[in-house]
Amino acid sequence: MDIEAKKVIEEGRAVLGIELGSTRIKSVLIDGQNRPIAQGSHQWENHLENGIWTYSIDDIWNGLQHSYADLQDNVHSLYGLTVDIRRLAAIGVSAMMHGYMAFDKKGTILVPFRTWRNTNTARAAEKLSKLFDFNIPLRWSISHLYQAILDGEEHVAHIDFMTTLAGYIHWKLTGRKVLGIGDASGMMPIDTATKGYSLPMAEKFDRLTASEGFGKKVLDIFPGILLAGEVAGHLTVEGARLLDVTGSLEPGIPFCPPEGDAGTGMVATNAVAPRTGNVSAGTSSFSMIVLEKDLSRPYEEIDIVTTPVGDPVAMVHCNNCTSDLNDWVRLFAEFQELMGLKVDIGLLYGLLYNNAMKGDPDCGSLLAYNFVSGEPVVRLAEGRPMFVRSPNDRFSLANFFRSQLYASVAVLKIGNDILFDKEKVTVDRMTGHGGLFKTKGVGQRVLAAALDSPISVMETAGEGGAWGIALLAAYMLNKTDALSLREYLDTKVFAGDKGSEIAPLPEEVEGFNAYIDTYVKGLPIESLAVEVKA
């Protein structure tokens, strides 16, 4: 037993980070040295309801409470049954970004939560992008709001407040309607000079929507913005009971600003400074590169968001990453069961992934599309997972799985090629984190070949966004005028640790480029598949 960690929990000095991801709600406790000392989790899945990807309010709170209860169980297991979480030094909440959560004056949600995964906002995003001369992605909150206005949805007249999933949880736990600037930058564009929403764009939006019968100003219904290091409220009595149904947790605990998963990924990989970047690769994937200067023009494939302190970031977001790949692994697990063999899913991933790297650098000309849902970067409103080969292609297990691994980052490559080739963006360090990198070395090699750039993976990055938001909560406790977030991470958390790095191999870069050429040419097959298989 770690006696010091036990004392940290008993004396209320631990910091709690909670992140609601696409497939898991994770809770992490850290100590004064920023080390994880306990954790809990809850598995969940979005579902399609009337054509909309959503999680119900009951799903959200049941999952959050179960994750916290699992954390308490882990504390009991590690430190003894008498050790309860009663007080905490700070709390932070993070969640998947974007989407649409609209509430009336009574605080009742007006329509089911519309997640980032929905692609029904194309008309709104296109009009707003032209209006602002700024790329507005389909998944951004302002796209969802404007699409609801364009569609004449009845609930729009009753909107009093809009926020993200992290903002919703934070509001219910603290009573404050605020967001961290990184999460807010996925609602609508940010002015990086003022560290607030863009006033000129807000005014344009208000004039546009007023002419269409929407009588409210967007900034009146959006949450306020805070920067990393600021206190964003305190746990209320009601909030304490919502989080901990046993009633053990005491109110009054300070909260850092709620952030999105992109921001916590930057923090967890120490990628908040210019010329640093990270790639998160799980159910979805996205790359984040902190910019030294603005891009020369807007690109439909690239979002401009911010770090948790408001610096501009070029983000390439892909709706699809490992979901189809995981389905194929499960298919092989099912085959093992059919053969009467014991299935160790972790071992199976390792065997299939490592064997894939014995395949041809171009995957033997095999081609895979992993589109479980629509993919805006390549302008697909819907997805149809697909595997394509010609009779003379080199069809082997290694090439098959290598093609699936390539597919998981293919769209990410398309977006980043714009940054590197057209905008000449320079990156000194790129760090990977997420499920794709769990099998040591394989995800790194694939991504290094895709981006033609060295990729690092840190041991701590596996702790994920819950650890990242816990670090932001700890930074709030320790911030001084002389200590920036970048300095805090460099000196107090990572202390020069840059992780293990894999450089791209020339033959694998050449092979991936050959794969992507065929991949792009074959994209019309996907559009046809959507038409044929509705």
Side-chain angles (χ1 to χ4, degrees), residues 325-501:
L325 184 56
N326 292 338
D327 286 343
W328 282 109
V329 174
R330 283 191 286 267
L331 187 71
F332 278 79
E334 186 179 338
F335 173 73
Q336 279 191 289
E337 291 175 347
L338 186 65
M339 294 288 292
L341 302 174
K342 184 178 179 181
V343 176
D344 181 329
I345 197 70
L347 176 62
L348 184 58
Y349 269 99
L351 288 171
L352 292 171
Y353 279 27
N354 282 298
N355 184 64
M357 303 318 290
K358 298 175 183 177
D360 298 317
D362 67 348
C363 307
S365 297
L366 306 182
L367 193 58
Y369 293 103
N370 67 335
F371 302 129
V372 173
S373 63
E375 191 57 80
V377 172
V378 290
R379 298 165 184 80
L380 286 173
E382 295 182 46
R384 298 292 183 272
M386 188 181 303
F387 174 69
V388 182
R389 69 184 179 102
S390 299
N392 296 325
D393 293 344
R394 297 178 296 281
F395 188 38
S396 67
L397 181 62
N399 280 338
F400 174 79
F401 258 94
R402 191 170 187 130
S403 73
Q404 300 295 335
L405 286 164
Y406 278 22
S408 67
V409 295
V411 178
L412 196 70
K413 173 181 173 58
I414 291 170
N416 277 276
D417 281 352
I418 294 171
L419 292 173
F420 297 142
D421 298 341
K422 294 184 178 180
E423 291 290 331
K424 308 302 179 186
V425 169
T426 302
V427 181
D428 294 331
R429 179 170 54 84
M430 200 80 169
T431 306
H433 63 113
L436 185 65
F437 304 102
K438 284 184 179 179
T439 300
K440 188 174 181 180
V442 175
Q444 277 179 276
R445 274 181 64 183
V446 170
L447 188 61
L451 302 186
D452 192 11
S453 174
I455 304 296
S456 298
V457 171
M458 298 179 177
E459 291 295 325
T460 49
E463 300 295 340
W467 184 59
I469 192 65
L471 294 180
L472 287 172
Y475 173 61
M476 175 191 70
L477 295 176
N478 294 285
K479 183 180 183 300
T480 65
D481 291 340
L483 188 65
S484 68
L485 177 61
R486 174 183 179 179
E487 291 164 338
Y488 180 78
L489 295 176
D490 280 344
T491 61
K492 305 295 184 182
V493 180
F494 295 97
D497 177 21
K498 295 183 179 179
S500 59
E501 184 178 271

Side-chain angles (χ1 to χ4, degrees), residues 183-296:
D183 204 12
S185 70
M187 290 193 75
M188 69 171 288
I190 296 294
D191 183 333
T192 54
T194 65
K195 309 299 184 188
Y197 299 115
S198 168
L199 291 179
M201 293 186 196
E203 290 168 356
K204 287 181 179 180
F205 184 83
D206 290 341
R207 287 195 296 270
L208 173 68
T209 55
S211 68
E212 294 169 344
F214 185 63
K216 295 172 183 172
K217 296 187 181 299
V218 67
L219 297 190
D220 290 341
I221 62 173
F222 272 24
I225 292 178
L226 296 173
L227 304 182
E230 296 185 272
V231 177
H234 295 78
L235 184 66
T236 63
V237 172
E238 297 80 8
R241 297 299 176 266
L242 265 177
L243 183 58
D244 178 12
V245 296
T246 70
S248 298
L249 189 62
E250 298 174 5
I253 301 163
F255 275 67
C256 70
E259 266 297 349
D261 51 0
T264 57
M266 283 186 272
V267 171
T269 55
N270 194 20
V272 299
R275 296 170 68 104
T276 64
N278 77 91
V279 170
S280 173
T283 304
S284 63
S285 69
F286 51 82
S287 63
M288 311 283 291
I289 297 176
V290 187
L291 298 173
E292 296 179 279
K293 61 180 182 178
D294 292 338
L295 301 184
S296 64

Side-chain angles (χ1 to χ4, degrees), residues 137-169:
L138 276 66
R139 66 188 183 282
W140 279 26
S141 303
I142 199 164
S143 294
H144 283 277
L145 172 60
Y146 187 45
Q147 190 65 52
I149 294 170
L150 289 175
D151 292 343
E153 294 193 42
E154 185 274 335
H155 79 271
V156 167
H158 304 287
I159 295 175
D160 182 67
F161 176 56
M162 270 186 62
T163 191
T164 64
L165 180 55
Y168 167 65
I169 299 294

